[in-house]
Amino acid sequence: MYTEQDYEDIRNQLKKRWLAVSVPSLMLLAGIVVSFILRVKWVTVVLSVVLGAGFIFFHGMLISPLAAYRNHLNNVLHGKTRSATGAFKEMEEQSVMRDGVRFYPLMISVGDMDDPEDDRLFYYDANLPRPDWKIGETLTLTAHDKALGAWTRA
């Protein structure tokens, strides 16, 4: 599902976004310093508010989602993973947010299909195309925590 190149692409994109947020922030900070030295209180206050609000907004909109996805890729590629083999039961149509990343919840059964105790919940990345799994098809899923990192037909 993922490659090292995907991880490097996300890391590079995150660096570019940090640069895009940092340069205007540093310019505003320089303006704050100059207005503080010149003792123009209202300019210092206005620039401080703009800097704070802008940094919080752009960090939340540009940095945080990508950092969460980078962490997800790092975990499934380099973290501790486990495998489970079972029969595919269902995949939800609606995505959910988990640790800042959108996923489709899916269920496999590692034993009896009718016994809910044998069901295992996993999360499939909503940024990837949905697989064409059929109900009852045997799959081997590799996951970090419950986030799917790889799958094969068994």
Side-chain angles (χ1 to χ4, degrees):
M1 288 177 45
Y2 304 107
T3 64
E4 284 295 325
Q5 186 59 46
D6 295 331
Y7 180 65
E8 287 302 317
D9 290 345
I10 293 296
R11 287 185 59 211
N12 291 334
Q13 189 176 0
L14 188 60
K15 287 178 187 176
K16 289 177 186 174
R17 287 190 182 184
W18 265 115
L19 186 63
V21 170
S22 298
V23 169
S25 296
L26 290 174
M27 291 173 57
L28 283 170
L29 186 60
I32 291 169
V33 170
V34 168
S35 67
F36 187 76
I37 291 171
L38 298 176
R39 303 207 185 269
V40 185
K41 184 177 180 179
W42 70 271
V43 174
T44 305
V45 170
V46 169
L47 290 178
S48 297
V49 169
V50 170
L51 174 63
F55 187 80
I56 290 170
F57 175 78
F58 288 114
H59 185 272
M61 296 299 292
L62 297 176
I63 306 296
S64 291
L66 204 57
Y69 198 70
R70 184 213 45 211
N71 291 340
H72 162 65
L73 286 181
N74 186 42
N75 288 337
V76 297
L77 289 173
H78 308 120
K80 188 173 183 178
T81 59
R82 63 182 174 93
S83 294
T85 300
F88 175 69
K89 284 185 84 169
E90 66 178 335
M91 183 183 289
E92 297 288 329
E93 293 296 324
Q94 295 294 321
S95 63
V96 296
M97 285 294 274
R98 188 166 185 271
D99 298 329
V101 180
R102 283 219 170 271
F103 291 102
Y104 292 117
L106 69 98
M107 194 76 67
I108 66 167
S109 177
V110 295
D112 182 16
M113 286 284 281
D114 297 326
D115 188 3
E117 288 186 14
D118 291 336
D119 291 349
R120 302 295 183 263
L121 175 67
F122 290 94
Y123 293 98
Y124 186 85
D125 189 351
N127 294 313
L128 301 175
R130 292 171 64 103
D132 60 344
W133 297 331
K134 306 291 185 244
I135 294 176
E137 186 175 7
T138 304
L139 303 170
T140 299
L141 307 177
T142 303
H144 173 81
D145 192 15
K146 293 182 181 181
L148 222 55
W151 65 271
T152 58
R153 288 183 166 90

